[in-house]
Amino acid sequence: MSPCISVMSLFVVIVRILAEEETAVCEMWGSPEFPLLFKSGDIMIGGAFFVLNFREFRFAQTMIFAIEEINNSSSLLPNISVGYKIFDSCGSTLPSTRAALGLINGQERTFGKSCSGQSTVHAIVGATKSSSTIVLSQIAGIFQIPVISHFSTCACLSNRKEHPSFFRTIPSDYYQSRALAQLVKHFGWTWVGAVRSDNDYGNNGMATFIEAATQEGICVEYSEAISWTSLDEQVERVVRVIKTGTAKVVVAFLGYDEMDILLEEALRQNITGLQWVGSESWITSSNLALRKYSGILTGSIGFAIKKAKIAGLQEFLLQVHPSQDPQNHILREFWEETFGCSFQPSLQGVKQCSGSERLRDIKNPFTDVSELRISNNVYKAVYAVAHAMHSMLKCGEKSNVLCLDVNFSLQSGEKVYFDERGDPPATYQLVNWQKNSAGDTVFVTVGSYDASLPDGKQFTIKEMNLTWFGESKQVSRPISVCSESCFPGFRQAVIKGKPICCFSCIACAAGEISNSTNSAECSPCPLEYWSNEDHNKCVPKVIEFLSYEETMGALLAGFSLFGASLTLVVSFVFFWFRHTPLVKASNSELSFLLLLSLTLCFLCALTFIGQPTDWSCMLRHVAFGITFALCISCILTKTITVVIAFTAKRPANTVPQCSVLLQRMGVLGGTFLQVLICVVWLTLAPPFPHKNTVYAAERIILECSLGSSIGFWVVLGYIGLLAVLCLILAFLARKLPDNFNEAKFITFSMLIFIAVWVTFIPAYVSSPGKFTVAVEIFAILASSFGLLFCIFAPKCYILLLKPERNTKNHMMGRNQVKT
């Protein structure tokens, strides 16, 4: 491509720029068409700085200082002189365009009828603002002239297709924006405000920050933009939005100029109590570290370029004097601005400059070298050009394009190199604004960020050294959330129409927990665990079974032992009166066997109390089935005996005696059949302990599973069958003699027995948990007491209280007077 740009190409570029910025307000020191600072050399390095600003003028002088060092070096570009040509970029795109064309063309008039055949500069250092640098890079890129920026951080400049010859010595905002998001996340600030410069720097940087913040779960309450050319009404509106917002943290992705305008309005509206998080553009600006802003900015935190020391720079800056170049009006205007004087004696009210003033006595951003961050980037940029040219000359290269593998170390030991996008390593220092003992604001390094390290190790911070907004060092950090944190035991519930950071806290449901703050959802506990009272921990479920320790278990056990003891007392009474007619007539052998079975019935209830085990589950049902089968078999045999005894066709004075062998066989047969049923049940599907987690979710019911429901109901049905047979036979014998109508008492006992067990069935099926066992025990005890009292209470009454009735004649009814 010809190094001479066509008028049409220039027209297209300039029209686009003018459309973006129709009004460029800039007070310039001198004409934009001529360099402000110039020195010829074999290799020319261009510069674009906003020299109206003291800090930027220091950048320009740092560039000159680095060039002078290189010229005095015997190892770098020996026997080759390096010159410079510095234009004023004026901090905006239109003057930057003029500066770019002046640097490239090298003619006195940029828009003359002809242009030079070759660019007058081999590389350009600048500009400070990303928008200005974009224009500079696009124009210089047409001629393949490298542009190395010291302060332009827009990630868009890393695009090699649009900026093929762009490099920079400051990291891209791609990393800073993400580092800021991680910083905000680290302090738990999920609800922040955002304000940005309305240019490429602010818009691209904030867009990246919001994207990264969203991924970190951070919400932005508002995002406002201002420009250094904004109207007062616009700035006032933005500050009012900040003031009325609920976010206590403001992320300011602003250039120095925009931040200065914003602070003036914030001071006017008396904004305090906000935590400011700043970008590298203003976070170390000494121009803003004024006492009038301390109530607003003290405690501010943000990432800054690493601070460095440049040996000899301070002395070089202090030697700047108009006498160095009497024809350079820039030096004279700088001197006048610095000391508030004038070299023109005709001006009234302004003291005359003598030239004997000393910069050493002045403290301003030009002479302040305590925070050499961006100046060091300028220094590195100049050395990068020199090393690239040295490498090209050494290799015999003839092209003006910088080598991509530039890699060198400064005298301080700092390594300088670029990646494939022309970016340096992304390393930052975390800076906190604090007050010293004198009350002045100082920038204290409290951490660092290195994007080259693995995730989780990139960010370090010394939190104990932090100062928060407007306060001295304090333990607690500011809180900036849309909603208060949900403590463990609660979960977040998004509020309709609100950002995800605005939520309500809902307690976890029963059986669910959250063991961390701000849990998005509650986690269910494992099957055998349940949530504690605070719903922040899963604890083993309460295992429930009928135990001896609880009141109900103790009462049932007491009734069981009482029933067994009462039965033994009755047995003792019968044994004591065993030779009396009443006991003999009651078939003493069956009576004692019945009392034994009733004792076992009472005691078998105890097997239902306590923690179920394999053996206890089998024992309780088998013992229940066999003892009751034995009991009812005895009653059935006794009933049959009574019926036969009083219905036999014999003389009235004789009582037929049923064969003892047949009685024993009847009892044994009735019981053996039940034993057989139980054996089959235990063999095929025995009862076993079972943890029931279905009925009650909050507890485990430890119960005995029947194994086979059929087996259980067959055992219960067999007992019921025996009881029904007893009832029928006893009912048939209801008209026997009144004085010894045992069949009547058996009838009553069977009615009670059947009523109890018929009632038991629905109660058993519907009772929950341990109450199922309690119902079964109650049925056992109730039926046992019913049998004991109905059959033996009348006899014990006669034996103990009415001995006159305990005679053979009375038993036969011979002395009874009929009415």
Side-chain angles (χ1 to χ4, degrees):
M1 179 182 292
S2 171
C4 184
I5 189 169
S6 67
V7 175
M8 181 58 69
S9 299
L10 283 175
F11 177 77
V12 172
V13 173
I14 294 175
V15 167
R16 184 181 65 82
I17 297 169
L18 291 175
E20 296 176 354
E21 181 175 322
E22 296 180 0
T23 58
V25 181
C26 180
E27 295 181 5
M28 304 193 63
W29 292 351
S31 171
E33 301 169 357
F34 299 96
L36 301 179
L37 299 168
F38 175 82
K39 180 180 179 180
S40 62
D42 299 327
I43 295 175
M44 294 297 294
I45 301 176
F49 302 97
F50 185 14
V51 294
L52 179 62
N53 183 292
F54 280 135
R55 187 172 70 153
E56 292 266 331
F57 191 59
R58 187 181 75 219
F59 296 162
Q61 290 297 325
T62 303
M63 174 179 169
I64 296 174
F65 170 75
I67 290 175
E68 293 299 333
E69 272 194 348
I70 294 168
N71 286 332
N72 294 328
S73 173
S74 59
S75 59
L76 185 61
L77 293 176
N79 302 320
I80 296 176
S81 63
V82 180
Y84 53 84
K85 189 177 182 182
I86 299 175
F87 277 76
D88 191 354
S89 67
C90 204
S92 59
T93 53
L94 184 56
S96 297
T97 304
R98 294 172 179 170
L101 296 176
L103 287 168
I104 294 169
N105 194 38
Q107 299 298 307
E108 292 184 354
R109 293 292 174 183
T110 304
F111 296 104
K113 294 183 179 180
S114 63
C115 61
S116 62
Q118 184 176 0
S119 171
T120 59
V121 295
H122 297 85
I124 300 174
V125 176
T128 296
K129 293 190 174 182
S130 294
S131 297
S132 301
T133 305
I134 290 172
V135 173
L136 192 64
S137 175
Q138 288 176 338
I139 295 175
I142 298 174
F143 300 92
Q144 297 182 341
I145 298 175
V147 174
I148 305 179
S149 178
H150 58 286
F151 211 177
S152 298
T153 57
C154 180
C156 58
L157 287 165
S158 298
N159 188 334
R160 274 292 180 228
K161 292 183 179 179
E162 295 185 6
H163 306 281
S165 58
F166 175 78
F167 299 83
R168 54 182 155 197
T169 53
I170 189 169
S172 166
D173 282 337
Y174 173 87
Y175 302 102
Q176 181 184 200
S177 298
R178 283 162 172 76
L180 287 173
Q182 291 183 32
L183 176 67
V184 172
K185 178 66 174 180
H186 172 80
F187 291 121
W189 299 327
T190 58
W191 186 241
V192 300
V195 59
R196 68 188 186 278
S197 296
D198 193 10
N199 52 30
D200 294 286
Y201 167 74
N203 293 331
N204 284 277
M206 185 57 70
T208 305
F209 168 78
I210 292 177
E211 178 185 355
T214 302
Q215 294 174 357
E216 296 285 354
I218 301 166
C219 298
V220 178
E221 181 183 11
Y222 54 83
S223 180
E224 298 292 333
I226 61 172
S227 172
W228 70 288
T229 59
S230 296
L231 298 176
D232 293 342
E233 292 78 7
Q234 170 67 8
V235 179
E236 181 181 353
R237 186 195 65 81
V238 171
V239 174
R240 192 163 53 250
V241 169
I242 296 174
K243 186 175 183 179
T244 57
T246 58
K248 299 301 180 182
V249 174
V250 180
V251 178
F253 219 100
L254 295 166
Y256 160 78
D257 298 319
E258 290 81 9
M259 190 64 185
D260 191 24
I261 296 171
L262 185 72
L263 287 175
E264 284 294 335
E265 182 60 27
L267 193 64
R268 191 185 70 82
Q269 295 192 27
N270 193 27
I271 289 185
T272 57
L274 294 179
Q275 176 65 48
W276 293 83
V277 178
S279 59
E280 94 299 333
S281 180
W282 67 267
I283 197 64
T284 55
S285 175
S286 57
N287 287 7
L288 301 178
L290 305 177
R291 293 202 176 189
K292 67 175 183 177
Y293 296 146
S294 62
I296 301 175
L297 292 182
T298 298
S300 296
I301 190 170
F303 289 104
I305 306 306
K306 185 178 180 181
K307 184 167 64 174
K309 291 184 179 180
I310 303 176
L313 177 61
Q314 185 176 27
E315 291 299 322
F316 180 84
L317 295 176
L318 295 178
Q319 292 174 7
V320 172
H321 195 276
S323 61
Q324 292 177 336
D325 186 0
Q327 304 302 319
N328 192 318
H329 63 88
I330 291 300
L331 294 178
R332 292 198 306 273
E333 293 182 19
F334 162 72
W335 199 263
E336 293 174 343
E337 184 72 19
T338 300
F339 294 101
C341 61
S342 174
F343 285 102
Q344 299 179 8
S346 60
L347 295 177
Q348 294 182 354
V350 179
K351 68 177 182 178
Q352 187 173 0
C353 297
S354 64
S356 61
E357 297 86 1
R358 298 195 314 168
L359 288 174
R360 195 177 300 274
D361 300 330
I362 297 296
K363 184 177 181 181
N364 63 15
F366 177 79
T367 60
D368 184 11
V369 294
S370 62
E371 295 288 333
L372 292 181
R373 302 176 190 271
I374 309 305
S375 295
N376 190 50
N377 287 348
V378 176
Y379 187 75
K380 290 189 290 186
V382 174
Y383 266 90
V385 174
H387 277 277
M389 298 301 297
H390 183 88
S391 177
M392 291 171 61
L393 293 173
K394 186 177 180 180
C395 298
E397 294 286 343
K398 297 181 180 180
S399 173
N400 263 355
V401 180
L402 282 174
C403 297
L404 294 178
D405 58 350
V406 173
N407 192 328
F408 62 94
S409 297
L410 298 175
Q411 294 179 2
S412 61
E414 182 180 359
K415 292 185 178 180
V416 181
Y417 58 93
F418 305 94
D419 62 15
E420 65 277 4
R421 295 182 297 272
D423 293 330
T427 58
Y428 299 94
Q429 287 181 338
L430 185 61
V431 173
N432 182 220
W433 287 39
Q434 300 181 11
K435 288 183 179 180
N436 59 18
S437 57
D440 297 325
T441 299
V442 292
F443 308 129
V444 179
T445 300
V446 294
S448 63
Y449 181 87
D450 189 346
S452 64
L453 297 177
D455 291 341
K457 297 183 179 180
Q458 300 173 336
F459 181 63
T460 59
I461 184 171
K462 301 174 183 177
E463 196 164 342
M464 66 180 66
N465 298 329
L466 281 171
T467 291
W468 301 114
F469 56 86
E471 303 288 342
S472 58
K473 289 189 175 83
Q474 57 185 37
V475 177
S476 59
R477 66 174 69 116
I479 298 175
S480 184
V481 294
C482 180
S483 302
E484 291 296 329
S485 297
C486 292
F487 294 107
F490 294 82
R491 67 173 178 85
Q492 296 177 349
V494 177
I495 301 174
K496 188 175 182 181
K498 296 283 187 178
I500 60 172
C501 298
C502 301
F503 49 81
S504 57
C505 297
I506 298 178
C508 291
E512 296 183 346
I513 66 162
S514 64
N515 53 13
S516 61
T517 303
N518 289 331
S519 295
E521 58 183 16
C522 298
S523 304
C525 290
L527 185 62
E528 294 190 3
Y529 288 80
W530 194 251
S531 56
N532 61 357
E533 185 177 351
D534 295 328
H535 294 274
N536 59 7
K537 184 180 180 181
C538 286
V539 296
K541 287 182 178 179
V542 175
I543 297 179
E544 181 182 275
F545 57 88
L546 187 62
S547 66
Y548 292 101
E549 287 75 17
E550 58 184 297
T551 303
M552 183 169 58
L555 286 175
L556 292 174
F559 280 111
S560 175
L561 294 175
F562 173 74
S565 301
L566 188 61
T567 305
L568 291 176
V569 170
V570 173
S571 300
F572 176 78
V573 171
F574 262 59
F575 180 78
W576 186 264
F577 294 99
R578 64 186 178 281
H579 300 297
T580 63
L582 179 60
V583 175
K584 291 182 178 180
S586 298
N587 198 328
S588 58
E589 184 175 345
L590 285 178
S591 294
F592 283 114
L593 190 58
L594 177 58
L595 287 170
L596 174 63
S597 64
L598 281 174
T599 302
L600 295 177
C601 287
F602 280 116
L603 293 177
C604 82
L606 297 177
T607 64
F608 287 82
I609 304 174
Q611 182 174 348
T613 63
D614 289 332
W615 287 103
S616 67
C617 287
M618 290 187 290
L619 176 62
R620 65 173 58 172
H621 290 97
V622 171
F624 159 73
I626 294 176
T627 55
F628 268 90
L630 175 62
C631 179
I632 304 302
S633 296
C634 291
I635 297 173
L636 179 60
T637 304
K638 179 185 284 286
T639 305
I640 294 173
T641 301
V642 171
V643 171
I644 294 176
F646 284 92
T647 58
K649 302 299 182 179
R650 294 294 181 92
N653 59 344
T654 61
V655 177
Q657 300 295 319
C658 181
S659 172
V660 175
L661 180 61
L662 292 178
Q663 293 180 28
R664 293 175 180 174
M665 289 181 62
V667 173
L668 183 62
T671 306
F672 177 77
L673 187 57
Q674 183 75 301
V675 171
L676 184 62
I677 294 173
C678 290
V679 169
V680 174
W681 182 15
L682 294 179
T683 302
L684 299 180
F688 59 90
H690 170 64
K691 293 181 178 180
N692 187 340
T693 58
V694 177
Y695 176 77
E698 74 282 2
R699 62 186 187 274
I700 297 176
I701 299 174
L702 190 58
E703 60 185 10
C704 284
S705 175
L706 296 176
S708 172
S709 298
I710 296 176
F712 173 74
W713 292 110
V714 168
V715 167
L716 192 62
Y718 179 73
I719 296 173
L721 176 62
L722 294 178
V724 170
L725 290 176
C726 280
L727 178 62
I728 294 173
L729 291 175
F731 179 78
L732 295 177
R734 67 187 183 281
K735 295 182 179 181
L736 292 176
D738 292 338
N739 288 350
F740 191 73
N741 196 349
E742 191 171 23
K744 179 175 64 175
F745 300 130
I746 294 175
T747 302
F748 288 148
S749 67
M750 288 299 102
L751 285 174
I752 293 175
F753 184 87
I754 293 174
V756 168
W757 287 102
V758 168
T759 307
F760 159 79
I761 294 175
Y764 179 84
V765 173
S766 60
S767 296
K770 60 185 178 182
F771 296 102
T772 303
V773 179
V775 167
E776 192 167 358
I777 296 175
F778 178 80
I780 293 172
L781 295 178
S783 57
S784 298
F785 275 112
L787 294 175
L788 179 64
F789 282 105
C790 288
I791 295 176
F792 292 98
K795 296 180 176 61
C796 290
Y797 174 76
I798 295 174
L799 291 173
L800 298 175
L801 300 178
K802 298 293 182 179
E804 65 275 9
R805 297 183 185 180
N806 189 5
T807 62
K808 184 174 181 181
N809 292 332
H810 186 79
M811 294 298 102
M812 299 303 298
R814 293 174 182 173
N815 299 327
Q816 184 178 5
V817 179
K818 301 293 184 179
T819 59

